């Protein structure tokens, strides 16, 4: 026996809505055992997957937090690429109401349905939903508070004696009550669009600061925190890191192309 299966996350995008040449918009690829789950799919995600040599064909599940473009504008391109390369197996989408309608409209104007089934699982901004993914992971969508209906996602192993979990929380204002649903999480990704200096801007735009992300990690008793979704105004993220580490020492900054282990 070689021990527990791999459980890790590849960061494909670490930026937010305004484009900058040094960051891509939101996307993570979660790997557990043979499962590949894409979380958010900002513009250029397909190219990022190719750039980092991550196999597109293995992805059968995609989770979309909300319908701001920086979280899903890469989806029509990725879904079309699978159609062009002859995909036949179903693709499961976990997303807010509206995505199905949007995609159907796009594809109805571009030559008809996909050559493979799209299976929609609707998330809710009002309550927690749960799905079992291929008997291996439990997926929960967690309501968070942004400017439009938004959920975070929590992934927990099902079959292991010592369970492990990864949470993806973006975009949201500081939401202390979230810690209850995240308690004991191994790796928490939490958006940190701004530093404390711009807390007023975070509140006004439905985002969090690096310090607030760290407070959530602390209250959740998380093992590790990963921060991302940085505003275009920041060329580097030293201040974000410094601010978060002062509250929660096991913090890392999400770097594109890097892979982070969910557990040691
Ligand atoms: Zn965003
Ligand atoms: Zn947003």
């Amino acid at each position: 026996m070689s021990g527990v299966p791999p459980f890790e996350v590849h960061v494909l995008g670490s930026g937010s809505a305004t484009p900058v040449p040094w960051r891509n918009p939101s996307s993570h690829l979660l790997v557990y055992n043979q499962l590949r789950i894409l979380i958010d799919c900002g513009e250029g995600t397909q190219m990022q997957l190719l750039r980092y040599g991550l196999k597109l064909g293995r992805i059968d599940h995609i989770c979309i937090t909300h319908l701001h473009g920086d979280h899903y504008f890469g989806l029509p391109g990725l879904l079309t690429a699978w159609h062009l390369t002859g995909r036949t197996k179903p693709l499961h989408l976990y997303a807010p109401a509206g995505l199905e309608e949007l995609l159907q409209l796009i594809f109805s104007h571009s030559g008809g349905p996909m050559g493979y089934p799209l299976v929609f699982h609707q998330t809710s901004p009002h309550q927690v939903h749960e799905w079992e993914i291929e008997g291996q992971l439990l997926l929960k969508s967690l309501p968070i508070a942004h400017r439009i209906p938004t959920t975070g996602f929590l992934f927990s192993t099902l079959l292991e004696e010592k369970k492990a979990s990864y949470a993806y929380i973006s975009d949201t204002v500081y939401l202390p009550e979230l810690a209850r649903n995240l308690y004991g999480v191994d790796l928490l990704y939490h958006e940190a669009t701004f530093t404390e200096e711009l807390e007023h801007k975070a509140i006004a735009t439905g985002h969090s600061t690096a310090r607030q992300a760290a407070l959530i990690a602390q209250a959740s008793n998380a093992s590790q925190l990963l921060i991302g979704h940085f505003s275009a105004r920041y060329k580097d993220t030293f201040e974000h890191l410094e601010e978060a580490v002062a509250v929660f020492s096991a913090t890392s900054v999400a770097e594109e192309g890097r892979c982070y282990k969910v557990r040691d």
Side-chain angles (χ1 to χ4, degrees):
M1 290 292 286
S2 60
V4 292
F7 195 13
E8 55 201 24
V9 64
H10 295 261
V11 172
L12 304 169
S14 62
S16 54
T18 307
V20 285
W22 58 91
R23 281 189 204 108
N24 283 272
S26 288
S27 187
H28 283 188
L29 181 73
L30 185 67
V31 173
Y32 176 68
N33 221 353
Q34 301 301 317
L35 288 176
R36 303 284 182 275
I37 301 170
L38 193 66
I39 311 161
D40 279 340
C41 187
E43 188 181 347
T45 293
Q46 185 179 181
M47 300 309 291
Q48 287 291 83
L49 285 163
L50 294 172
R51 183 168 295 134
Y52 298 123
L54 300 164
K55 296 205 168 55
L56 272 67
R58 295 227 197 127
I59 299 167
D60 295 331
H61 302 268
I62 300 182
C63 301
I64 301 291
T65 54
H66 66 301
L67 298 180
H68 279 154
D70 56 317
H71 296 258
Y72 87 102
F73 278 177
L75 202 48
L78 180 58
L79 299 184
T80 303
W82 277 323
H83 174 70
L84 295 173
T85 51
R87 181 186 179 116
T88 54
K89 59 179 178 169
L91 189 272
H92 293 264
L93 283 155
Y94 307 82
L99 185 68
E100 185 171 4
E101 188 189 351
L102 281 163
L103 292 176
Q104 277 170 357
L105 183 66
I106 290 171
F107 297 134
S108 73
H109 288 280
S110 59
M114 296 277 122
Y116 58 94
L118 293 177
V119 186
F120 288 90
H121 306 272
Q122 199 173 305
T123 59
S124 162
H126 306 297
Q127 62 186 95
V128 175
H129 280 290
E130 291 185 8
W131 299 269
E132 229 182 80
I133 300 192
E134 298 181 27
Q136 297 191 51
L137 286 179
L138 179 68
L139 164 62
K140 286 186 185 181
S141 64
L142 308 174
I144 49 181
H146 191 41
R147 309 196 301 278
I148 57 172
T150 306
T151 68
F153 294 103
L154 176 65
F155 305 82
S156 314
T157 58
L158 283 169
L159 302 173
E160 296 173 15
E161 209 174 307
K162 188 177 180 306
K163 306 249 183 283
S165 55
Y166 166 70
Y168 180 99
I169 305 297
S170 183
D171 300 351
T172 187
V173 290
Y174 176 51
L175 211 57
E177 60 268 33
L178 198 57
R180 222 178 330 132
N181 280 322
L182 298 174
Y183 200 79
V185 67
D186 290 277
L187 175 60
L188 168 64
Y189 168 75
H190 194 292
E191 72 127 288
T193 308
F194 298 103
T195 53
E196 261 319 88
E197 191 183 47
L198 291 180
E199 189 191 355
H200 61 283
K201 214 162 176 66
I203 293 167
T205 56
H207 288 297
S208 301
T209 67
R211 181 172 171 272
Q212 290 170 336
L215 287 170
I216 298 289
Q218 188 184 54
S220 307
N221 200 24
S223 302
Q224 306 170 68
L225 170 66
L226 187 60
I227 52 173
H229 196 271
F230 305 114
S231 161
R233 75 189 59 235
Y234 302 105
K235 281 260 183 196
D236 62 60
T237 49
F238 300 127
E239 256 183 76
H240 289 77
L241 185 61
E242 194 178 52
E243 192 175 290
V245 163
V247 175
F248 188 81
S249 61
T251 301
S252 308
V253 165
E255 284 176 35
E256 293 174 15
R258 263 193 69 183
C259 178
Y260 299 81
K261 284 194 180 348
V262 171
R263 60 180 163 212
D264 289 327

